[in-house]
Amino acid sequence: MGIVVVEICDSNLMSALDLEHLEELYPEIAVLRADCMNLCGLCKLRPYALVNGKRVFGKTTEECIENIKAAIESELAIYHEN
């Protein structure tokens, strides 16, 4: 398990993407897929994921991926501070 967890709902648009490649870019993370994360209103509205329990979304899947990467880097920055 990584120090940063990215959770994807199987019912959201993001589930169609291969987000496990993020684990290659950021070895400190783990991508987990869930049947349902009980955020149905958000799930139907736009692409989203949870990064360490915080909602990250975008208007498109591409924007969402960029926002996920930014959230991962922000979370990892805590561990890389001097």
Side-chain angles (χ1 to χ4, degrees):
M1 181 69 71
I3 57 175
V4 176
V5 177
V6 178
E7 296 175 82
I8 308 296
C9 180
D10 283 341
S11 299
N12 190 259
L13 290 172
M14 298 302 290
S15 69
L17 304 177
D18 175 24
L19 296 175
E20 283 75 13
H21 82 278
L22 292 173
E23 293 174 337
E24 295 172 16
L25 294 173
Y26 305 99
E28 305 93 337
I29 76 160
V31 175
L32 303 177
R33 294 180 181 267
D35 290 336
C36 181
M37 295 195 303
N38 295 318
L39 296 170
C40 297
L42 181 60
C43 200
K44 291 179 182 178
L45 287 176
R46 58 181 54 185
Y48 84 97
L50 297 179
V51 177
N52 277 0
K54 299 174 189 162
R55 295 179 200 165
V56 177
F57 52 90
K59 292 181 181 176
T60 65
T61 54
E62 293 83 8
E63 181 182 345
C64 189
I65 290 171
E66 292 306 312
N67 293 342
I68 290 169
K69 288 178 181 178
I72 290 169
E73 290 172 11
S74 176
E75 291 289 323
L76 291 176
I78 296 168
Y79 298 99
H80 296 288
E81 290 180 349
N82 292 329

